[in-house]
Amino acid sequence: MLHEFERILIGPREMGLVDADAAGSGIDSFRLMQNAGEAVAALALARYPDSGRFVVLCGPGNNGGDGYVAAAAFARAGASLCIYGIGSEDLKGDAARARARVEAEVAPLSAYACRPGDVIIDAIFGAGLSRDVPQDVARIIADATKLRLPIVAADIPSGLDGETGEIRGAAFSATDTVTFMARKPGHLLLPGRELCGALHVFDIGIPKRLVMARAGKLWENGPGLFSDALAGPTAESHKYARGHVAVFSGGPTSSGAARLSATAALKAGAGAVTLVSPSEALAVNAAHLNAVMLREADSRAIRAMLGDHRVSAFVVGPGYGVSAALRELALSLLTKPTVLDADALTAFASEPKSLFEAIHAEGATVVMTPHEGEFGRLFPDLASASGSKVERARKAAARSGAVIVYKGSDTVIAAPDGRAAINTNAPADLATAGSGDVLAGITAAMLAHAAPAFEAACAAVWIHGRSGQVAGGGLTAETLVDVIPQAFPEMV
Ligand SMILES: NC(=O)C1=CN([C@@H]2O[C@H](COP(=O)(O)OP(=O)(O)OC[C@H]3O[C@@H](n4cnc5c(N)ncnc54)[C@H](O)[C@@H]3O)[C@@H](O)[C@H]2O)[C@@H](O)CC1
Ligand SMILES: [K+]
């Protein structure tokens, strides 16, 4: 897998184990803390050379230790400096050692009053945050936010949960965050991603193999995850060798969604695409299609497609209309790779088990693409459960047997085997009507390329996001479809 180390995300608990492994293998943990704190100071000095004063806020654990190291570096650099700490007399281990090397006075954190011109070094809480921040920290966060003070966070903005990206009571909104070795899920999940500012990953000297050994199966989504799995079309390739996608259309007044999926599948490189339409929508579909083929949806046609080895993936759901007939149709398609989107998800709200059992029994290749509302209808208990979006998506994937694309500005893709990726390239403009239909079509095209479901879904989400960037502000689902091919050159 390309660039795997750069893409891995490691939870705070696993990072703690990496730290312990590093110490166990003879690496000097104080040296690591020094590297971490000095990296924070170096970044702050470079970013804010004219700062009125650096205010270093130090917590009671090792994140505070990083702060004391940074404070010593500011003092050596001759910068104006104030230090405020929680429990600075009761520190332990490396943090106590870092504190002992600071000659300047350390005032209690509660005494800090924000002043315009301050640059805050936030070393209050890092990976060890375990509950809502105390009141005096929340008060400082509120004051600093009001004054819009620049904030350089050590590891993660204090108050942000590194596992879930959620705010524990209150959190700093940093201008820069300096993290160590690898990013945490909370740096990419929302709202966390928006609170980190510019994120800098600094190698403090822990061997990468130790980090890799503890990393779970979670990555930032990107071409390194899927480009090997997508065999590009060659000049000689027959159109069906690039796969044939069949998309099921709704009735005459709701056929546009399926047409968007179908044209997106074509633009995303499916060799052929057929829109399978109820007879009463054939005329309207025919009036809008050129390269996409059209076929009437009768049971004979569906049987024929299921038996035709050239038909390689289905899309069902966009604009179809929620009905028992849709449930029956969806279940009948599961012998081939299938994307279930929109109405095909809502249709199973009253009996999700029947779908999940069929997927498991068939060993089916299914990608489901729920947004928040659809996720809640299919997995009501998971939607309201605590934990991160990654955990919810993983549980949904394991339960359903499908790859789950849990959509949002921080779309999470999760496979039943526990692999998961967080997508980060989607611009806000993608939240537009028909955008999901386009994603379903791209996903089917990737499945039609014979990519395994997880890689196909990761590729589709990334291509969709990249196409959104290319289409730019004011994009519509149509302009999004048009630029899909422009996302491809960047994939390899
Ligand atoms: N080898 C290492 O261990 C390294 C660790 N590093 C730093 O160490 C940090 C992790 O250190 P720790 O595990 O000590 O964790 P933290 O420093 O984040 O915090 C732990 C302390 O905060 C207390 N605490 C947690 N939540 C609280 C709350 N809401 N209110 C009040 N007190 C609370 C805990 O009881 C504990 O005393 C990383 O984020 C990173 O900055 C770096 O120094 C690099 C090397
Ligand atoms: K911090």
Side-chain angles (χ1 to χ4, degrees), residues 63 122-126 153-158:
N63 196 249
D122 161 26
I124 306 179
F125 300 116
D155 201 10
I156 191 160
S158 295

Side-chain angles (χ1 to χ4, degrees), residues 20-321:
D21 292 347
S25 72
I27 292 167
D28 176 5
S29 62
F30 186 61
R31 184 68 246 164
L32 299 178
M33 180 178 282
Q34 283 181 304
N35 292 344
E38 279 163 18
V40 172
L43 183 107
L45 285 164
R47 270 292 251 126
Y48 301 102
D50 304 320
S51 159
R53 59 171 184 170
F54 289 101
V55 177
V56 187
L57 307 180
C58 300
N62 285 336
N63 196 249
D66 297 348
Y68 290 111
V69 171
F74 288 125
R76 279 199 305 278
S80 165
L81 172 69
C82 293
I83 312 169
Y84 296 89
I86 297 178
S88 63
E89 303 309 318
D90 309 316
L91 301 170
K92 298 193 177 65
D94 291 338
R97 207 167 145 195
R99 159 75 184 88
R101 294 189 172 199
V102 172
E103 284 168 14
E105 185 202 341
V106 179
L109 187 78
S110 53
Y112 174 50
C114 297
R115 275 195 343 218
D118 287 353
V119 173
I120 291 179
I121 307 302
D122 161 26
I124 306 179
F125 300 116
L129 180 73
S130 55
R131 51 194 184 276
D132 284 3
V133 297
Q135 265 193 345
D136 49 351
V137 173
R139 192 263 308 157
I140 292 170
I141 289 171
D143 291 352
T145 307
K146 209 179 296 162
L147 286 177
R148 295 169 183 258
L149 297 182
I151 292 159
V152 177
D155 201 10
I156 191 160
S158 295
L160 191 57
D161 186 314
E163 187 69 55
T164 66
E166 283 161 5
I167 294 170
R168 307 289 298 255
F172 281 116
S173 177
T175 35
D176 294 87
T177 296
V178 182
T179 193
F180 314 117
M181 300 310 302
R183 292 166 300 171
K184 320 294 172 299
H187 289 129
L188 301 193
L189 291 169
L190 293 173
R193 193 196 305 167
E194 287 174 340
L195 297 180
C196 291
L199 186 58
H200 313 266
V201 184
F202 191 82
D203 184 340
I204 56 173
I206 299 176
K208 288 181 180 168
R209 68 186 154 75
L210 294 183
V211 181
M212 295 290 282
R214 291 291 184 183
K217 295 179 275 186
L218 178 64
W219 302 270
E220 179 186 22
N221 191 26
L225 282 186
F226 50 76
S227 51
D228 286 354
L230 295 173
T234 61
E236 315 83 68
S237 65
H238 187 274
K239 66 178 179 181
Y240 292 109
R242 290 192 279 141
H244 184 164
V245 170
V247 182
F248 286 82
S249 166
T253 56
S254 60
S255 58
R259 281 198 302 278
L260 278 172
S261 295
T263 48
L266 204 56
K267 287 277 189 179
V273 178
T274 298
L275 191 69
V276 189
S277 165
S279 57
E280 62 276 19
L282 281 170
V284 62
N285 277 322
H288 286 95
L289 295 173
N290 296 311
V292 171
M293 298 179 278
L294 188 58
R295 182 168 191 173
E296 184 172 350
D298 53 35
S299 52
R300 209 167 49 90
I302 294 169
R303 263 201 314 280
M305 284 190 298
L306 286 168
D308 183 345
H309 71 276
R310 290 168 305 180
V311 176
S312 33
F314 294 117
V315 177
V316 63
Y320 197 91

Side-chain angles (χ1 to χ4, degrees), residues 390-410:
V390 172
E391 280 320 298
R392 292 197 289 276
R394 276 178 168 153
K395 285 181 180 156
R399 181 183 298 175
S400 64
V403 165
I404 300 290
V405 176
Y406 190 172
K407 295 188 291 194
S409 301
D410 54 354

